[in-house]
Amino acid sequence: MVISLLRQGPLSNAELLASVRIQRGVLTKQGFYAALRKLKKEEIVVVYKKITALNASWIERMQRLVETMRDSYVGSDQARITDLADRESVSYVFLNIRHLDVFWGHAQNLLISAAPKGAALLAYDPHYWFYIARKETEQELLKQVVSSGRQFLMTVGGNTKLDRSIKADFKTDMQQYHINRAFERNTYYVTVIGDFILEVYLDASVARTVEDIYALGSVDAETKLVDLLTRRSRNRLRISRNYARAEQIRTRLSKHFYIKNEA
């Protein structure tokens, strides 16, 4: 938490403690300073005149580490689902939603790096419930899409209060959100970028529970959706490369959005 708060620049120890307390709740000064001492000993932060900052040397080490990981994963033959030829596909099965979502985001990032520059990402969810259950993770994925110069265009099939509640977060040209029932099955989620297609077939019992939560719109909806992430279930992710079919899905989903000219 301290590292995350310092990512925008140094903070006084008083400001840092107050910010940590806002996020964490009850926290003693002793606990806070014990954490600072540990970070300082590991040369992650430097503390001078009651000001704490990230250690520049540590930042450089982390940058080199991340670059190495990126080369190992994005550039490796094992990870290159981008090598699929037209009309080829690969499928994966996951026994809970959390594992599915983690790999889904990983695969999406790989495909973004391979898609034509400026190509928009179009997605359809019966309900964009991952944005509620895993909001920070989803927002980070959206940032990665936008920072790559691509639009994120989400269509959802539901029109409940919960579906409408997140619409305000998508009010720029780069992030747009539209409600329209594009596909009938409440188990089917699809994302298209370039000529790649990611299709998720959610466990039917999980999909029914999601529908019930959205229909009720209860105040504890977020808690119930988070609980679904670890429920044992059978979910399939299919990644394919199919220019003609990708174009069909893109045409179906794009009609309600403003799409910038691709570079």
Side-chain angles (χ1 to χ4, degrees), residues 17-233:
L17 173 58
S19 297
V20 170
R21 280 175 167 168
I22 289 172
Q23 293 190 25
R24 189 182 185 279
V26 178
L27 174 67
T28 64
K29 280 189 177 181
Q30 291 88 345
F32 171 73
Y33 282 104
L36 278 193
R37 286 194 296 273
K38 182 178 179 181
L39 291 171
K40 186 177 179 180
K41 183 179 179 181
E42 296 177 2
E43 300 184 355
I44 295 174
V45 304
V46 291
V47 182
Y48 180 70
K49 292 186 177 181
K50 297 183 180 181
I51 301 290
T52 300
L54 292 176
N55 187 325
S57 297
W58 178 80
I59 293 173
E60 289 294 328
R61 291 199 302 272
M62 290 302 101
Q63 185 172 345
R64 290 194 296 271
L65 177 62
V66 170
E67 288 173 352
T68 299
M69 289 190 293
R70 181 175 177 83
D71 291 342
S72 297
Y73 282 89
V74 177
S76 69
D77 290 336
Q78 294 90 336
R80 289 194 69 83
I81 53 178
T82 56
D83 285 343
L84 290 171
D86 193 47
R87 298 181 181 274
E88 287 186 342
S89 66
V90 61
S91 293
Y92 305 86
V93 173
F94 301 89
L95 298 183
N96 71 45
I97 302 295
R98 186 180 297 279
H99 293 164
L100 162 69
D101 195 41
V102 169
F103 189 81
W104 191 353
H106 170 67
Q108 180 175 290
N109 282 337
L110 291 178
L111 297 182
I112 285 173
S113 68
K117 185 178 179 181
L121 185 152
L122 290 106
Y124 174 82
D125 289 7
H127 304 283
Y128 193 9
W129 65 277
F130 294 98
Y131 191 82
I132 297 175
R134 303 192 73 200
K135 188 169 184 177
E136 289 186 6
T137 300
E138 288 297 314
Q139 287 181 331
E140 186 59 36
L141 287 172
L142 298 189
K143 285 181 184 178
Q144 292 170 10
V145 173
V146 172
S147 65
S148 72
R150 308 175 192 281
Q151 292 176 282
F152 178 85
L153 310 174
M154 167 61 76
T155 300
V156 297
N159 193 20
T160 69
K161 184 178 180 180
L162 272 179
D163 291 303
R164 297 190 297 271
S165 68
I166 65 174
K167 191 171 185 178
D169 290 354
F170 300 83
K171 285 193 172 180
T172 67
D173 289 346
M174 299 303 291
Q175 293 183 200
Q176 301 177 44
Y177 183 94
H178 181 71
I179 294 173
N180 179 57
R181 192 75 174 180
F183 299 93
E184 287 304 314
R185 288 176 293 171
N186 63 7
T187 57
Y188 183 68
Y189 296 64
V190 62
T191 300
V192 176
I193 179 165
D195 50 0
F196 291 99
I197 309 168
L198 293 95
E199 296 171 286
V200 168
Y201 301 87
L202 214 63
D203 185 282
S205 67
V206 173
R208 284 194 298 270
T209 303
V210 170
E211 292 293 340
D212 291 342
I213 293 170
Y214 269 75
L216 293 172
S218 56
V219 292
D220 59 346
E222 180 180 348
T223 300
K224 291 180 177 179
L225 292 171
V226 170
D227 288 343
L228 280 179
L229 296 174
T230 52
R231 178 195 288 187
R232 185 170 177 81
S233 54

